[in-house]
């Protein structure tokens, strides 16, 4: 234990708790994830590339990442608006609305999926008003964007909200005293302070949407080349006992998650520098 | 704004400059609320409305069906194994990370968060790759007649994976914020390690634990993607509640599907309520320190 400088720490249990933490992390997370990487390494490079760049797979990336991008953008705009309204304005029922924002975290994805599919189907509560205008949501790529917006909704609100709460009144007062209009204050003082957290929220919402499965499959229609998301393709391959194909595509997804995790970590470090 | 002439008192200047005109405020609030109603309130209302569409008798009948009951039982078993394990892990990890300093701490925190960024489908797949028939130890397991994937242990393992970070990621920042002065004082005064934890640390992190556990439990009971990959969908045997909802829905048995879904929606509402209280208590406790 000489390796770890303990600085005369009188608290006990360091070795035991850290040991258990690393053991449990390895058994549950690291070893299983490494299985995926090792299984992919069993493929030749040519096999791997031809599997992960097959036309149907490429189409699924386009649908998944494209829809996730749109959904994250929608969530960034409305997320900032919702956070602003919750932090700055007072209206009856504000606390309930605030609590309700986390509903997509708490509501199981399958429930969200069947509900959105029902509401937005041509004779559903919302779908019946869209149908006459030629807008089809359920069973089209638009449905995928909708489901992804639903599950990503809390991320931007919850990353931007605490930063907004900590903006000091003095900064705005200073801007006003120096002759800034309200618009200038918002644009040049408040928005730059919020930007790192907005980008973090965008990235979190995007990352969640890319991996999402349960809420999407019910509303997507799941047509190959058109509205088939990558996670569904992995399951389809698995059901056809195409383990190699499933593994290779899953490895690409894992790589995408790792890159996004890296970006999110960098963004968070950046926003922390701003708040200090 | 009823004053006929502009008054340049300090109060009115800052007041106007720090908020928007009332019209804009109401407008923005209305847009935000319409967005939330459309995306949150409407789906929630739809679950219950669809569930009770054919009356209370049909609703109750759907819930009393044997396959539904067995799916509820399996979901309860899954949560009752995975939540305590992740709770124990969360507390030990938070103790090691928040109370001591060591190299590689940030890497460890990132790795603990990892399951959140992995797609649920991939989370399920990795266990199939290890324990499935074509997997690493699948053939050995079959020889000894042990079933892990497409059986209950696989469902539990996948659930543990997806709910892995919940308690730890709530407790680590909380315990870091509280520091270790109180624990050190207790140790110096002669308390044992366990006494220190249960009498000093635990009361401070109680609401943080409740917060983590309630979210961990909601995800454990509601997980769909990961569990779907490892379950094998055997009715009455390896179907959790969310998987049962899917089967009923795909059989066009909408009322029953929404009746079962309403149980999960109700769970979500309770989760949100407890979470809100816990959040408030944690904030209060941090301010008192």
């Amino acid at each position: 234990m000489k390796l770890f400088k303990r600085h005369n720490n009188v608290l006990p249990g360091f070795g035991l708790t850290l040991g258990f933490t690393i053991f449990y992390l390895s058994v549950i997370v690291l070893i299983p994830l490494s299985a995926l990487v090792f299984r992919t390494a069993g493929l030749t490079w040519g096999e791997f590339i031809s599997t992960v760049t097959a036309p149907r797979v490429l189409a699924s990336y386009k649908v998944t990442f494209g829809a996730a991008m749109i959904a994250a953008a929608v969530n960034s705009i409305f997320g900032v608006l919702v956070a602003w309204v919750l932090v700055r304005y007072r209206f009856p029922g504000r606390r309930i609305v605030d609590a309700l924002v986390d509903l997509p975290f708490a509501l199981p994805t399958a429930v969200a999926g069947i509900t959105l599919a029902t509401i937005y189907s041509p004779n559903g509560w919302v779908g019946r008003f869209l149908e006459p205008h030629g807008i089809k949501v359920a069973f089209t790529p638009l449905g995928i964007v909708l489901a992804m917006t639903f599950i990503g909704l809390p991320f931007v609100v919850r990353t931007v909200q605490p930063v907004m709460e900590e903006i000091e009144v003095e900064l705005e007062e200073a801007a006003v005293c120096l002759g800034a209009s309200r618009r200038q204050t918002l644009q040049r003082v408040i928005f730059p302070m919020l930007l790192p957290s907005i980008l973090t929220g965008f990235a979190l919402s995007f990352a969640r949407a890319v991996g999402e499965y349960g809420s999407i499959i019910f509303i997507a229609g799941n047509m190959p080349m058109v509205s088939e998301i990558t996670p569904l393709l992995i399951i389809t391959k698995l059901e056809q006992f195409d383990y190699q194909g499933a593994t290779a595509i899953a490895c690409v997804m894992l790589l995408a998650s790792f890159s996004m995790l890296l970006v999110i970590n960098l963004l968070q470090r950046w926003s922390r520098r701003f708040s200090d | 704004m009823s004053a006929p002439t502009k008054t340049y008192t300090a109060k009115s200047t800052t007041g106007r400059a720090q908020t928007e005109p009332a019209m804009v405020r109401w407008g923005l609030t209305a847009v935000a609320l319409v967005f939330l109603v459309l995306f949150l309130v409407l789906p929630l209302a739809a679950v219950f409305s669809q569930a009770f569409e054919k009356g209370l008798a049909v609703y109750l009948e759907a819930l009393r069906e044997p396959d539904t009951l067995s799916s509820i039982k399996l979901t309860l078993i899954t949560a009752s194994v995975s939540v305590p394990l992740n709770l124990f892990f969360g507390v030990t990890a938070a103790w090691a990370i928040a109370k001591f300093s060591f190299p590689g701490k940030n890497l460890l925190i990132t790795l603990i968060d990892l399951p959140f960024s992995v797609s649920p489908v991939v989370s399920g797949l990795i266990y199939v790759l290890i324990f499935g028939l074509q997997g690493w130890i699948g053939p050995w397991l079959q020889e000894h007649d042990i079933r892990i994937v497409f059986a209950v242990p696989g469902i539990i393992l996948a659930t543990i994976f997806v709910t892995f970070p919940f308690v730890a990621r709530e407790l680590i920042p909380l315990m870091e914020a509280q520091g270790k002065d109180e624990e050190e004082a207790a140790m110096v005064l002669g308390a044992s390690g366990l006494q220190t934890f249960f009498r000093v640390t635990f009361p401070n992190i109680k609401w943080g634990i409740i917060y983590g556990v309630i979210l961990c439990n909601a995800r454990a009971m509601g997980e769909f993607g990961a569990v779907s990959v490892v379950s094998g969908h055997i009715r009455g045997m390896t179907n959790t509640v969310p998987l049962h909802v899917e089967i009923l829905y795909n059989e066009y048995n909408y009322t029953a599907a929404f009746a079962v879904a309403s149980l999960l929606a109700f769970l979500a509402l309770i989760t949100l309520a407890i979470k809100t209280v816990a959040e408030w208590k944690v904030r209060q406790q941090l301010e008192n320190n």
Side-chain angles (χ1 to χ4, degrees):
Chain A
M1 281 292 138
K2 278 272 163 60
L3 182 64
F4 305 112
K5 280 181 278 175
R6 294 176 67 174
H7 295 299
N8 304 323
N9 200 330
V10 294
L11 299 184
F14 175 63
L16 200 65
T17 51
L18 185 67
F20 177 75
T21 301
I22 292 173
F23 166 76
Y24 190 71
L25 178 71
S26 307
V27 171
I28 299 292
V29 179
L30 299 182
I31 295 174
L33 277 179
S34 67
L36 182 68
V37 179
F38 280 114
R39 284 294 288 260
T40 315
L43 301 171
T44 67
W45 183 245
E47 279 174 330
F48 177 75
I49 290 296
S50 68
T51 311
V52 300
T53 58
R56 189 173 164 188
V57 184
L58 286 180
S60 84
Y61 299 147
K62 218 174 114 188
V63 171
T64 310
F65 288 89
M69 199 60 108
I70 300 172
V74 171
N75 276 330
S76 299
I77 296 166
F78 283 96
V80 172
L81 175 66
V82 169
W84 183 260
V85 168
L86 286 175
V87 171
R88 288 299 176 102
Y89 305 155
R90 293 293 169 266
F91 55 93
R94 189 178 61 94
R95 278 169 194 280
I96 295 173
V97 172
D98 194 10
L100 209 59
V101 166
D102 282 324
L103 182 72
F105 283 155
L107 192 70
T109 54
V111 178
I114 63 168
T115 312
L116 291 175
T118 306
I119 297 179
Y120 287 90
S121 71
N123 49 11
W125 285 1
V126 181
R128 79 175 65 148
F129 296 108
L130 301 175
E131 182 78 0
H133 302 284
I135 306 170
K136 284 191 170 59
V137 179
F139 319 121
T140 68
L142 196 57
I144 301 179
V145 174
L146 184 87
M148 286 176 169
T149 309
F150 174 82
I151 50 127
L153 193 148
F155 287 97
V156 180
V157 181
R158 292 304 183 222
T159 41
V160 173
Q161 203 176 11
V163 182
M164 255 179 207
E165 275 166 0
E166 283 190 5
I167 293 179
E168 285 157 13
V169 189
E170 286 81 359
L171 285 171
E172 283 170 72
E173 281 174 353
V176 176
C177 290
L178 294 171
S181 70
R182 182 65 186 157
R183 172 181 295 233
Q184 282 172 323
T185 312
L186 285 176
Q187 248 174 22
R188 305 233 184 125
V189 179
I190 295 183
F191 182 71
M193 285 196 280
L194 296 181
L195 187 63
S197 60
I198 297 173
L199 289 176
T200 309
F202 177 91
L204 286 170
S205 166
F206 178 75
R208 174 72 205 265
V210 164
E212 179 57 18
Y213 172 73
S215 58
I216 297 172
I217 52 160
F218 296 100
I219 201 172
N222 305 325
M223 277 195 346
M225 309 298 291
V226 180
S227 58
E228 187 178 49
I229 53 165
T230 313
L232 177 67
L233 199 57
I234 295 175
I235 291 209
T236 311
K237 296 248 177 211
L238 206 58
E239 277 168 358
Q240 294 163 346
F241 299 104
D242 179 5
Y243 280 68
Q244 290 197 335
T247 310
I249 301 171
C251 205
V252 172
M253 291 291 284
L254 195 65
L255 220 62
S257 321
F258 283 169
S259 339
M260 286 182 286
L261 194 66
L262 190 73
V263 171
I264 291 165
N265 271 342
L266 291 175
L267 280 172
Q268 272 167 344
R269 200 165 299 171
W270 182 38
S271 52
R272 218 166 288 147
R273 207 187 56 191
F274 258 75
S275 63
D276 284 345
Chain B
M1 293 294 144
S2 57
T5 51
K6 282 183 182 175
T7 48
Y8 286 102
T9 64
K11 197 184 165 202
S12 81
T13 313
T14 43
R16 202 155 12 121
Q18 274 166 33
T19 190
E20 290 70 42
M23 285 276 281
V24 177
R25 281 204 309 264
W26 290 338
L28 290 178
T29 310
V31 173
L33 289 181
V34 166
F35 175 75
L36 292 179
V37 165
L38 212 59
F39 270 89
L40 301 179
V41 180
L42 214 56
L44 204 55
V47 175
F48 291 104
S49 142
Q50 296 279 333
F52 289 104
E53 205 182 13
K54 292 180 184 155
L56 190 66
V58 179
Y59 176 81
L60 289 175
E61 202 179 317
L63 296 185
R64 268 201 296 264
E65 210 230 336
D67 285 345
T68 307
L69 290 179
S70 74
S71 75
I72 294 173
K73 199 175 136 201
L74 180 57
T75 291
L76 291 176
I77 291 172
T78 307
S80 66
V81 177
S82 53
V83 175
L85 276 174
N86 283 338
L87 167 63
F88 183 72
F89 161 73
V91 173
T92 46
W95 180 266
I97 291 171
K99 304 288 179 193
F100 300 88
S101 54
F102 54 91
K105 196 193 242 189
N106 284 331
L107 177 69
L108 187 61
I109 296 175
T110 307
L111 289 177
I112 289 174
D113 262 350
L114 204 55
F116 273 162
S117 47
V118 175
S119 169
V121 170
V122 177
S123 317
L125 176 72
I126 55 180
Y127 290 103
V128 176
L129 291 180
I130 295 180
F131 299 112
L133 260 186
Q134 310 210 3
W136 276 352
I137 54 174
W140 183 88
L141 287 173
Q142 201 189 20
E143 264 173 44
H144 294 77
D145 207 26
I146 305 170
R147 295 202 61 133
I148 293 196
V149 284
F150 312 128
V152 178
I155 293 176
I156 293 176
L157 271 175
T159 306
I160 293 176
F161 182 95
V162 294
T163 59
F164 184 85
F166 278 102
V167 181
R169 74 144 36 179
E170 173 60 22
L171 288 186
I172 292 169
L174 179 63
M175 280 166 75
E176 271 176 345
Q178 285 170 340
K180 53 188 181 186
D181 299 349
E182 290 183 35
E183 282 85 356
E184 280 172 348
M187 294 301 291
V188 171
L189 291 173
S192 75
L194 285 179
Q195 274 177 328
T196 305
F197 175 76
F198 282 107
R199 303 241 181 116
V200 179
T201 311
F202 182 75
N204 280 337
I205 60 170
K206 190 174 62 188
W207 285 102
I209 288 180
I210 291 174
Y211 180 96
V213 163
I214 195 78
L215 287 184
C216 181
N217 179 67
R219 183 75 194 265
M221 291 190 167
E223 177 53 27
F224 179 75
V227 170
S228 168
V229 176
V230 293
S231 112
H233 304 277
I234 307 163
R235 250 188 125 123
M237 300 271 294
T238 61
N239 255 344
T240 60
V241 177
L243 295 177
H244 193 55
V245 170
E246 183 199 20
I247 288 188
L248 292 170
Y249 184 82
N250 286 342
E251 285 171 347
Y252 303 104
N253 194 350
Y254 294 135
T255 311
F258 278 101
V260 180
S262 76
L263 294 179
L264 293 171
F266 191 59
L267 172 75
L269 287 179
I270 294 176
T271 303
L272 285 185
I274 299 177
K275 175 185 163 294
T276 308
V277 174
E279 227 162 19
W280 178 64
K281 289 274 187 186
V282 166
R283 204 176 286 188
Q284 224 176 18
Q285 213 152 25
L286 276 178
E287 276 163 12
N288 287 345
N289 275 4

